[in-house]
Every structure is written in C-alpha cells, then in structure tokens.
Amino acid sequence: MRLICWMRRPQITGRILAAGLVFAALAGTGAPARAQHLLVPMDDAQSNHLKAYGVTFGALTDGIRSEWLLNYRGGAFLLPDMPSLRRAAALAGVAFEPVDGAALATIRKEITDGNMDAVALEKAPRIAVYTPPDAPPWDDAVTLALNYAGIEYKKIWDDDVLDTDLSQFDWIHLHHEDFTGQQNKLFLGFRDAPWFIQARDRDIATARKHDLSDIPSLKKAVADRLRSFVERGGFLFAMCGATETLELAVGARSVDIAGPFSDGTPMDPDADNKMDWTRTFAMQGAHLEFAAGVNSMSDIDGHQVNVPSRRQPLGTFSLFGFSAKFDPVATMLVQDHRNVIGDYYGVTTSFMRKVLKPGVTVLAHEEGAPWVKYVHGTYGQGSWTYLGGHDPEDPQHNIGAPPTDLALHPNSPGYRLILNNVLFPAAKKKPLKT
Amino acid sequence: MIRRRLLLAVALAAAVPLTAQEPAGPLVSKALEAETAGRNRDAIAAWRAALAAGAVVPGVLGLERVFSILAQEDSMIALFDSIIPRHPKEWQLRSAQLRTLATVGLDTRAARAFTEWRDLTPADVTPYREYARVLLFNGRAAQADTVIRMAADALGTTRALVLEVAQMRAALGLWKESAEAWRDMMAGEPYYEQATVFSLGPAPAAARDGIREALSREPASFGALQSLSLLELGWNAPRNGWTVLSKMSPSDTVVAIWKQFADEAERQRAWTTARDAFTAIHAARPDGEIALRGAQAALKAGDAPAALLLARSASPLLPEPRRVLDVLPIELEALARLGRATEAEAVLASAKPAIGEDGVRAQARTIAWAWIRAGDVGKARAALAGAPLAAEDAVAGWLALFDGDLATARTALRNTEVPGQDVISALSLLGRTRLTRSEPIGQAFLALARGDSTNASKRFEAAAVDVSEGASLLLTIAARIETARRSEERALMLWRRVAEEHKASSEAPEAQLEWARALRRRGDVKGAREHLETLIIDYPGSALLPQARRELDALRGAV
C-alpha cells in the first residue's frame, strides 16, 4: 500500500482525501511507510479541532517535542511521525497528513515568506483549574474542553490556593467564581435554594478556618494569591464572572465592596474612589454597582445579562490578526479556523473599552460596539488572558440548562480559544519583538 | 390629629364602595378595553378614573396588572399607602400590596405590611396564606416556611395553609414532606391532583420512593393515588402508575380516574399499560370504544391474544359499520400474528357480505401472513391469488424467499414500500450471493417470520456454512437475533466469529462494537476499550466510528 506524500493542496477536498487515505493506510495489513513528520491541519480539513489539542498535549506529556505553525492552515501542529501518535490521532478522530523532508521544506519556506511562524512546543504545562470540589464537569467550559480533549489537570479550591505553593502549576484557570465574595449576587433569587445555602456554608467554614471574618475576606485573600501567582511568572486564564470580580477583588484590598447580604456591612459609600487600580491586571476606573437588588458588579461588563433593563443583545466578535513573527503570544491566542464567532453570554460577557488599561492587548472585539471580548496582558513576570462569556456553544446559558456535549461540537471555534490558552504556556519562550 | 385622620378614613371607607357601582361600571369596561388592546397608558388613566368613581378593588388590580406589564410596579406603592388605610381589612388590596413590595425588592416593607395586616385580623389565616404565597412565588421558600410556622403558633393549626406548606416544601427540595402535605390537602380536596403532579414532578429519582410511600400509604385518598399514578407516568414508569390504580375497587369515580390515566398512557405510547387500563375500564363498565382502544394498544404492545379478546368483546357494543371498519382489521391482524389462519379466513368470509370483494382483497396480505405464521407457505400463496398487485409484489417476494427462490425474491423484494430491518437484511444477503436457490436461507427467514427466533438464529448460523459469500452477514443476522433476545453468551460467540473469521467483511466493525458492548456490560472496561480501539484503528472508513469514539470517551469518563 502506498502512502500519499503530503503536499500543500489548495483544495480542502484534496486535504480530506489525503487524510482519508492516511487512515486507509493504517487499516492495511503491512506497516505503513513512515514520513518524517505528521502535520495536524487546523483549518477546515481538520475533523476534530478540539481533540487535536489533546493529541498535541499528549505528545508533550510524553516528552515529544512539537511545533505550532502559527497562521499556517488555521494554526497547524507539526509532530514527529511516530506510531503512537498516529494511533492517538486515529483514536481521537484527528485528521493528520504525513510530511516528508521535501514537503516540510516547502512548508517552512511558505512560513518564512508570509505572516506565519513556527513555535516550538517543549513541555506540557502543569494545569490547575480553580473549581469547587463538588462542581459538575459541565459547570465550566474549560473543564469541559480539557476533559473532552483528554488533557490532564488538577482541581484546586480555596484551601489549595491559600495553603499550597502555586508555583507547582504553569497555568491556572478561573471560571465564574465571584471573587468579591457576593456569590454573584445570586442571593437575590436563590438564597433559599439548597445548593446556594450549601455553597455559602462551605465558604464561611473555609473563611473561619483561615481566620477570616466572612466570604468577601476569603475571596479577596484568594484573589491576592492568584495575583501573586501571575506576578511571579504564572499564566492565568479567566472566563465569565471570574474576570471582572478578580479585578474588583484585587483592586479593593482595603475597601469594602461587598453588599450587606454577604458580610453584614454595607459597601463603603466611597468605594469607587478608594479602589486601587494599580494592583489590577486589566481594568481601571470602573464604577461599582452599589444597589444590592441589581445583579451586576460594576460597569466593566458591556452586556449586563442579569440586569434586564441594561442587557445588551448578543452579536458576533472578530479575532484580530497579529504579526506571527513579532507578536507570537497574541498570535497563538487567536489561532482559529474562524475569525468571526458568535457571541455568548456569561455573568460577565464582555469588557468595556473605556475601563481597559492602556497596555492591554485586545484579541477580539465586536465591530462598532463599546466593548471587547478577549484581552491579554502581562503582569510582573507572568501573563493573564480574559475571555468573556460562559460557554461558547451555549449562548444563553441559563442556570439549570442541560450541559453542553462537546462531542456534538468537535470543531467549535469558541472552544479553540480556550485550548489555545492551554497550549500557549508550552511554547518555548522567545523575547517579544514589540 | 391621628384620631381625626382615622375618622376621615372611616368616613371615606363608608362612602366609597369597594366594588364597581353603577357610575363606575362604564369606566371599568373602558379600562378593560384599553388594557386588552394593549393601550397601557390609556388603561392606567381609565383604571384611575374607575378607582376614583368607586371601583376600588377592580381599579387597584387593574393598575397592578398594567404597571406590571410596563415593569413599573413601584408606581403602585404610593397608591397602596393612600388606599389601604381606607380599606384596611380588604384582603385583595393587602395581597396586591404584598405582591408589589416583594416584586420591587422591598422585603422589609413587605414584612412590615404583613405584620400590620396580621395584627389587624389576628384570628384570620388570610394574611399568612397570602404572604406565604407571595414569598413562594418569589423563590423565598425558607421565609415562607417561617411565615407558616408563625401561623401554626398563632392559630394553632396550619390546616388552612396545607397548599402553601406543600409548595414550600417542594421548593425547598423536601420532597417527601411535600408529598405528605399534598396528601393531607387531597384528603379533603381531591381536585388538586394536577397541582400535586406539577409540584412533585421535578423530584430527582433518589427522592421518588419517599413520595411513593407518602402518597400511597393507607388510607390513601383517590386524589393522592391518582397524583402518584400520573407522577409515575411522568417519571417514565407507567407500569408503576397502573399498579397504584389497579388496586382500587371500581366505582364511577375510580373508572373516571382510570380513564384519565389510560388516555395519558396511550398518549405516551405506553402500550402495555394502556392495554391493561383499557381492559380494566371495559371490565368495570363495558364500552365498545374503550375495548377497541384496548385492542389497538394490545396490538401495538405485541399482545395479539389480548387484542383479539378485546376486539371481539368490542364488536357487539359497536354499530355495524364500526365493526367492519375498525374491529375487523384488528381481529384479522391478531389472528394472523397468532398463526390462526383458518380462523382468520373464516372471519373474513363471514364479513364478506358487508365489505364486498374489494374489502376481502384488501385483507389478502394479512391472511397470507397468517398462513406464513402457521408455517404453510403454499396456502399463503393461495391467499394472495387475486389480491391487489401492489400488495402482492413485496409479499410474493417474501414467499419466494421462504421457498428458497432467491432469484424471484431478489427482484420482488426491491419493491417493498417501507423497508424494515428484515427487508434490509434480506436484500443485503441477496445482493451478496449469486445463488438462485437456497433452501437453508429460505427456512431461516421463514423461521424468523414465524417469530421462532431461537430456530431462526440457528438456521442462519447453519446457512453460513453453505453460503460462504454471505457467511459474515448470516452470522451477523443470527448474532443480532441473539442480542435482541438478550442471549448474551450465544450472541458474544457469534459476534466473535464475525470479528475473527471475517475480519475483512463489512460486518466486522459492527461485530467489534457489539463485542465491546458485551464486555462493557460484564464490567470488562479494558477489554471493551481494546475492541473499540480495534474498530477505530482497523476500520477507519466505517460509519460506526463516531459511535465507537463516543463510547470510548464514555469509558474514560470524558463525556
């Protein structure tokens, strides 16, 4: 049986055919001929984009170095041609194309000539997801994506953040936790619900264990530890309400910004002026929401989904194109086979431009809207990324809605943004050229 | 000063009637008209005018509705402040005030308004009930619980608050306790069964046994039992639902409850349960229509004897045209499935004067099937003589196949209008072999048509020896039969044969998948994974790959 040598083909159908023939080769009785590399395309030729990250991550976990070909065929991965990787890709339904030396030279030439770059991926990042111990896997889009892609991670919660050395992790993810300690103001509608009472009691017990007076104090302490983690070189990725509330909690170190229902005391009436925005990652000059009856934390979020009179409709957001050779980090974070993606709500859906610090890199925005969707920046020796919204494949995401089944969305461009963040800490550090 | 105000309020209360008097009537009509037309601004002005003219309660409730539509409930607060002192004991105004205050989030004021009302009428349960309802509506179950406890302390009983107690407990996830409250409620007022079902329906599976015990414990009211039966239907356990009701002694009320349950079971396509319910109703109160529906349910449940019995008992209770139009086809179908071909022919012959020659021809296929079930292919063929051609073609194909005449079957079966799994299997096999005759294959399909699955499976397996080009498919058909019969050992043996002896066949991926599933059912996760991986790696073009990947993900807990 003959293997097709990989060649850059202009037609997608040709690529699919090539991938199909590779699979067919695997079914043969004889050992397939070995190419030198396997190209995992990430454009429309890819049958399962999300699991492609898992295959690459698995290779890194096994000590196999890979390359991320930025802006080349949707951000393709280049892996060494090994039977174990062929098998892993086939089992996961990930399309790949064998590449021999001549074809690889052609690819590298194309990359050199265009707005593309090849970034070495050296080591699988050590991942932690900040999530309550009893949270179901579908409560958090990142947990869903990691599970589906087969990427290993460790769950951490308040005790772990406060008591352990976070430098054991390269990457920490936060989702819709409310770091202001107001439990997303769900007190208004769910104060009698058993799950709400259970979560409140659990957090109060943790606060007392650490000699803290209430939940807002506990969450502020946790937020500050996370700030230090980034400052010392960690990568932090946050989505949904964790983005906005982490900023507020870090900035409110010495001011009471929690409503009386959470700590028994009213918010400091001068809290807006007492916020210390020099400590925060991304935001400055935001205004806090003082009304306990309004389910919003501040004016950071552009969509305000939980305040009917302020709620903005969902549109689409566009990913920015960056120079792969000069801005490799930003380029990595926006690798996708779609540049325009449907928006989706979350406790915090978007970030108003007017409150972004000048040094923040906007990765995605909504054309003509006063808000942006996806931002990134550095802080101390580390970096952070914020992505608004809760679940890219569940735009409305109501409490109690059925969980997303990623097997039905293997090519989700929104979930790719999450997985870009997972893989990006594996990249070999290059000095920024801009 | 206060005394003067009180006097003024009393005087006003005496002067202003609570409901619309003659002069206010047209104003109320005008307000209602504007409200119905969605002219909210006009409606507000009109309701205010009606209110001023003396229609106090309609006016306030009207304004409450319109302001609610406009999301301006806070506009009602000042109105309540001025009007309630004039009508302090009017419960509808008090209730509306509580609703408004709770809606706009003025919880403290709502609590104060409740206290004021309660203190005004200390022996009255209404303030407690209305406030508890408002709290429940706003998801404040724990606070509603507090109010109900206060009522119990003050009044000595919560008898008049049973409904609120039940709702409150369900909202708090206290399912068994809620069921107990609903049970108490329905002991006096059985018409709350729908409210009970609505309230307890969302209970998780783990909490349902407690609900079952609470609602069925002796002595249980009709309402409690009916609620439980409908809950069981909603929980996809229709058999449990009928078990609850079937123990009841028939009376007019019980039969009415059975009828409602049977209708619902039929709507949910719970055919065996519907059959049993209709049978019981018919036994208690003979009714041709009910018996006929029971017969139809029995046929759909695959219970031909019951269908025959019910159809025959329906017949004398229905008018002549219905007997021919509705009962006869069911009776013939039941007889055919039972293989009672002679009897089916006799029934058809006796109906011939009523249905005519065309009607007899229309049933030829059923009669043919009756003979096939009886094992007499010759008479089946004879039954089709003179039958409409469109029906004859596919049936003739089957008859040819049963005879082992593969050449005729190959052509005729292609004309089957609605191909089922049996046709697909037959056509796949006929397309796989060039044989023109094969008695073993014919006998195997005939055994399958007769419903003799054990014999059919063995014959298909045996035929695989003679028909080598279709061996993998014949073994697969046998394995599918054994899988459907839950004959795990024999099914696994057959799937293994397909997977190992016919690796290159198109059935091999299915065999690998089924092999994996059989191992998974036995708890052998490692073995199941190996076979799923074999399927994915060795058969990359198989249409079963997405399913295999999904099951592989499920095994490692990724989905």
Side-chain angles (χ1 to χ4, degrees), chain A residues 51 87 90 93 192 405 407, chain B residues 140-142 533 536 549-550 553:
Chain A
K51 288 207 173 187
R87 181 179 171 81
D192 294 333
D405 181 355
Chain B
R140 308 281 305 281
E533 290 183 3
I536 294 167
R549 288 202 175 99
R550 190 166 182 77
D553 280 345

Side-chain angles (χ1 to χ4, degrees), chain A residues 23-24 26-27 51 86-94 144 147-150 188-194 197 405-408, chain B residues 107 135 138-144 171-173 530 532-534 536-541 545 549-550 552-553 556-559:
Chain A
F23 288 143
L26 284 167
K51 288 207 173 187
R86 283 176 177 251
R87 181 179 171 81
L91 287 175
V94 172
L144 265 181
N147 282 339
Y148 180 69
L188 297 171
F190 297 93
R191 74 189 93 174
D192 294 333
I197 294 167
D405 181 355
L406 279 186
L408 303 176
Chain B
D107 294 348
L135 292 168
N138 285 286
R140 308 281 305 281
Q143 203 175 339
L172 287 174
E530 279 172 11
L532 290 172
E533 290 183 3
T534 302
I536 294 167
I537 299 293
D538 291 355
Y539 305 97
L545 249 61
R549 288 202 175 99
R550 190 166 182 77
L552 194 58
D553 280 345
R556 64 178 178 84
V559 291

Side-chain angles (χ1 to χ4, degrees), chain A residues 66-72 76 78 104 107-108 111-112 115-121 324-325 328 332 427-428 430:
Chain A
S66 314
E67 282 183 73
W68 198 351
L69 307 183
L70 304 182
N71 288 355
Y72 179 79
L78 189 68
L104 186 58
I107 293 172
R108 293 208 187 280
I111 287 174
T112 305
N115 178 20
M116 304 174 210
D117 200 5
V119 175
L121 299 174
K325 294 186 178 69
M332 275 185 257
K428 185 179 179 183
K430 281 184 179 179

